[in-house]
Amino acid sequence: MPIRQKVFLALLVVSLGTSGFGGLWYYRTAKSSLDRAYLSKLEAVAGLQKSRLNAVVAFYLHGVKSITSRSDLRFQLDKSITLGKAESRNALNLILKNIKSTAGTFQEISLLDLEGRIVASTELDLIGTKHKDEKSFEEGKKANGLVRLFKDQHNILRVELAGPVRFASQMIGVAKVVANAEKLIELTEDYTGLGETGESVIAERAPNGDALFIVPLRFDGDAALTRRISKDKREIPILQALQGKEDAFTRNVRDYRGIAVLATTRFIEGLGWGIVVKIDAAEAHAPIEALKWRLLIGNVLLWIGMILACVRLSKTITQPILQLTEAARKISSGDLSHRVDVVSNDEIGSLAVSFNEMTESLNKKNAELKSEKDYVENILRSMADAFI
């Protein structure tokens, strides 16, 4: 391979490699910085959503407490159970009706005796029915709490709550409350700061270990209590959240749609609920992808300039060397009159000067040798003439 091509390839590899690695480093650094910025925003939103969710649950529990702590309700429930008076049951129904009309959040309020039988309710047709084996009755005897979310006959999401009713320090019954879930839904339908694809999702652990979404999703309005994520897909953030992990995820993470996302998780200990705040990676990385194309176009233009510069530079470096090579060839063939043009002040220029000085020296040596040869030949010729 000619030296010019070698020099050209060496310069090209160094220049293109440097610009290529520099561009790649800048792209990855910018992408990492963008990820950190988005994760910081998701962390802030996740913390806010956890606080808001706890506030919503506290609101529901306060509603239950406001029922179980009413002195007139406890007094009438004790009379109804111990004395079995109809006027007490009527008074209880009236109290519950008034609570429902003023609260606005409650859809149904029922009072159960310790046998699990409903003795008063805003739904009169439920009075007398037994619910001893229901979870709400067992949980309600322990403390005021959120028992479950469910869908009613109209497929509307509801919240079921229950709590103990005590009179004279003795538990005399259980209050069961059904409330609307609008506050939960409003919380997850708030996409402030989450762009076009971000959302907050909430799930609970199903009996078989799967993640069961308990509220509608941004991309699936019917997901509440129907859509699940298999427990085997442990890498999906919502399953990580249900394991109690509060972390941020940027790499190889996909959501319930199978789409790559940036996500952060939170866990609600008292309820065992998991929260994930996420945004599609494509949306988060849109600015850096635009930058990538700008870098690519810029690098292509830079590479074209570098190729032209390498051609010029390789010619500048190799041209004097080629001239010296040509001069050496001519001198070796006997042309001592050839001289090399000195076109630079660098080492190659010094080599050209030395080369010309060497040629001058050879010319002088040849002239001296020729002179000595002529002298010897003259002497020999004179001696030959003398003998003749």
Side-chain angles (χ1 to χ4, degrees), residues 164-355:
V165 181
R166 291 183 172 85
F167 184 75
S169 301
Q170 298 292 322
M171 187 171 68
I172 58 173
V174 171
K176 185 177 78 168
V177 179
V178 174
N180 63 55
E182 290 178 359
K183 290 189 176 296
L184 281 176
I185 297 173
E186 288 173 0
L187 187 149
T188 55
E189 287 183 346
D190 182 1
Y191 308 125
T192 303
L194 296 176
E196 298 297 323
T197 60
E199 63 177 324
S200 303
V201 303
I202 306 174
E204 64 180 7
R205 190 179 296 278
N208 67 344
D210 291 347
L212 176 65
F213 294 108
I214 60 177
V215 289
L217 302 173
R218 185 168 192 172
F219 301 101
D220 184 358
D222 297 323
L225 303 179
T226 58
R227 187 159 187 165
R228 296 170 176 254
I229 299 294
S230 172
K231 62 183 178 182
D232 298 324
K233 297 181 178 180
R234 299 177 182 176
E235 71 283 358
I236 293 182
I238 192 60
L239 285 166
Q240 297 286 321
L242 289 173
Q243 292 175 9
K245 296 180 180 180
E246 297 193 345
D247 204 351
F249 302 86
T250 58
R251 297 182 181 274
N252 302 319
V253 176
R254 298 187 177 273
D255 67 356
Y256 59 88
R257 301 166 296 159
I259 293 177
V261 296
L262 305 182
T264 186
T265 59
R266 291 292 184 272
F267 182 67
I268 307 298
E269 293 185 10
L271 298 171
W273 290 356
I275 305 175
V276 174
V277 179
K278 63 184 183 63
I279 189 171
D280 287 5
E283 181 180 358
H285 293 156
I288 201 66
E289 290 302 311
L291 175 62
K292 179 179 73 175
W293 286 108
R294 288 196 294 270
L295 284 174
L296 182 59
I297 294 172
N299 270 338
V300 169
L301 296 176
L302 179 62
W303 292 341
I304 293 173
M306 285 182 173
I307 291 172
L308 296 176
C310 288
V311 171
R312 178 74 176 175
L313 187 58
S314 64
K315 183 178 180 180
T316 301
I317 294 173
T318 59
Q319 188 67 31
I321 298 175
L322 294 175
Q323 290 178 354
L324 288 171
T325 303
E326 179 64 18
R329 187 187 64 78
K330 289 183 177 181
I331 291 171
S332 66
S333 64
D335 184 5
L336 296 178
S337 64
H338 186 76
R339 296 293 182 272
V340 179
D341 295 332
V342 180
V343 295
S344 64
N345 296 321
D346 56 12
E347 288 81 356
I348 294 179
S350 298
L351 180 60
V353 171
S354 299
F355 197 91

Side-chain angles (χ1 to χ4, degrees), residues 47-74:
L48 177 62
Q49 292 293 70
K50 180 176 180 178
S51 298
R52 292 175 65 189
L53 182 56
N54 281 323
V56 168
V57 173
F59 168 79
Y60 285 127
L61 295 182
H62 177 75
V64 177
K65 184 178 180 180
S66 68
I67 296 172
T68 59
S69 62
R70 284 187 60 143
S71 57
D72 57 344
L73 182 144
R74 292 182 293 159

Side-chain angles (χ1 to χ4, degrees), residues 1-9 314 317-318 321-322 325:
M1 181 184 293
I3 188 171
R4 178 175 292 180
Q5 293 183 13
K6 291 180 179 178
V7 172
F8 170 75
L9 289 177
S314 64
I317 294 173
T318 59
I321 298 175
L322 294 175
T325 303

